[in-house]
Amino acid sequence: MKAGADRLRPAWTSLPAVLRTRILRAVGGEFVRDEPAHGGFSASYAGVLTTTTARAFVKACAADGHADSLRFLRAELHTLSHLPEGIAPPLHAGIDDATGAALIIDAIDGHHPGDPWTPEDLTAVAQTLRAVSGTRAPVELPRAEDDMVPGFTRWREIAVDSRLRAGLPDRLRGALPELLRIEDGFAQAVHGETIVHDDVRADNILISDGRAHLLDWPHARRGAAWTDLPCLLPSIEAAGGPRCEDAWRTFEEHGAPSQTAMLPVISGFASFLWYQQALPEIPQLPGLRAFQRT
């Protein structure tokens, strides 16, 4: 098992036979092989399924599987069924019944950015986020301020928790009064009508022919344009890419607002990571807390 966002998922054969049969029927043809995905933080199966007549990317979870993974998969099914064409891979088939849940989309041949990040990959991601941030969200998506609070407004809890407060760098501990003031503006800062992916990071991006495809949509929201940017940049820097401040300039060239304008989201994401990394490990998702600490 690999730690961090590069981790092994459950095998295809771990799914109940009845669910595998239903997936194969939806894909078409007889099973030939599967190529499991090794990224993300979900206990669902994910991989490219090849049959005698087709090739598709499949995510699936049994009804008695990891409860949060099953919930996220069902949320992604709902989101993909409502997103406008061109924003996410089209949903070819979905299963959601007593056997479990599964989604079937196009298999995209490409690479995850990072190791290292290149200027070309950074530009491709900036172009995609510009397109997403310029697209009105379906009304079926929840509002960002409803779903991202209290997750992204944790500074007050951190300030009164001696253990969490003590672990902060001196600079941040001294800035807590200012961080609390900034936190008051978070809900307004993320309010809007555009699509927010809310989980953009390298293992949820595939770059093919110069285009960045965003995958894994269970957390999609209706919110302010470019809300995803502050949540992406720390993972770029942690993976050996440019520093957050330097990478931001690339995104500004594609229409992103300034860092000052997005300070409540930057601060909110920092509070989310600091709060989450101190929570107990989740046995089904090894490496999650370590990933959040980076």
Side-chain angles (χ1 to χ4, degrees):
M1 183 71 71
K2 297 183 180 181
D6 183 15
R7 57 180 291 274
L8 298 178
R9 287 174 176 256
W12 165 252
T13 52
S14 71
L15 296 172
V18 63
L19 183 55
R20 280 181 279 148
T21 298
R22 294 202 60 199
I23 293 169
L24 286 169
R25 188 178 302 125
V27 173
E30 300 295 322
F31 177 83
V32 175
R33 66 178 178 276
D34 82 291
E35 304 162 64
H38 290 177
F41 291 107
S42 169
S44 297
Y45 165 80
V48 175
L49 198 64
T50 299
T51 71
T52 52
T53 61
R55 187 169 176 267
F57 183 80
V58 175
K59 291 174 70 173
C61 186
D64 60 353
H66 183 232
D68 281 346
S69 297
L70 183 60
R71 177 168 58 87
F72 290 151
L73 182 52
R74 285 173 168 155
E76 185 170 11
L77 277 169
H78 176 266
T79 297
L80 290 180
S81 68
H82 290 98
L83 286 181
E85 185 177 351
I87 293 298
L91 179 66
H92 291 316
I95 298 169
D96 185 2
D97 58 23
T99 66
L103 63 83
I104 299 162
I105 61 177
D106 285 340
I108 299 171
D109 293 319
H111 68 276
H112 296 294
D115 296 327
W117 276 84
T118 66
E120 294 77 17
D121 286 352
L122 201 61
T123 296
V125 174
Q127 291 171 339
T128 292
L129 284 191
R130 178 179 61 188
V132 170
S133 292
T135 303
R136 191 173 182 86
V139 296
E140 290 82 3
L141 296 186
R143 286 203 171 275
E145 63 265 34
D146 295 334
D147 275 23
M148 297 175 77
V149 176
F152 281 58
T153 54
R154 296 294 191 180
W155 287 120
R156 277 178 171 73
E157 292 169 85
I158 293 168
V160 299
D161 187 311
S162 58
R163 180 175 60 93
L164 288 173
R165 190 176 65 251
L168 287 169
D170 292 342
R171 177 172 58 89
L172 284 180
R173 196 160 52 249
L176 275 171
E178 178 65 9
L179 293 172
L180 293 175
R181 184 193 66 78
I182 293 170
E183 186 167 89
D184 289 337
F186 179 82
Q188 182 58 37
V190 299
H191 175 79
E193 298 297 333
T194 64
I195 295 174
V196 176
H197 180 282
D198 198 22
D199 200 17
V200 179
R201 58 176 194 258
D203 57 302
N204 285 338
I205 302 169
L206 272 177
I207 296 180
S208 177
D209 295 327
R211 178 187 174 191
H213 300 263
L214 300 187
L215 311 175
D216 206 21
W217 287 86
H219 308 293
R221 310 283 181 250
R222 185 163 38 118
W226 294 96
T227 294
D228 288 310
L229 180 56
C231 306
L232 165 66
L233 294 184
S235 69
I236 292 177
E237 182 172 334
R243 296 172 67 246
C244 293
E245 296 88 340
D246 297 329
W248 199 295
R249 286 194 285 272
T250 297
F251 289 87
E252 282 187 306
E253 292 169 1
H254 290 82
S258 69
Q259 297 173 55
T260 301
M262 301 207 73
L263 192 55
V265 186
I266 297 171
S267 175
F269 187 51
S271 80
F272 167 82
L273 291 176
W274 190 253
Y275 183 87
Q276 291 290 122
Q277 59 83 29
L279 295 177
E281 296 288 349
I282 302 174
Q284 298 92 340
L285 307 178
L288 174 59
R289 302 306 179 208
F291 180 78
Q292 290 167 338
R293 291 183 193 109
T294 62

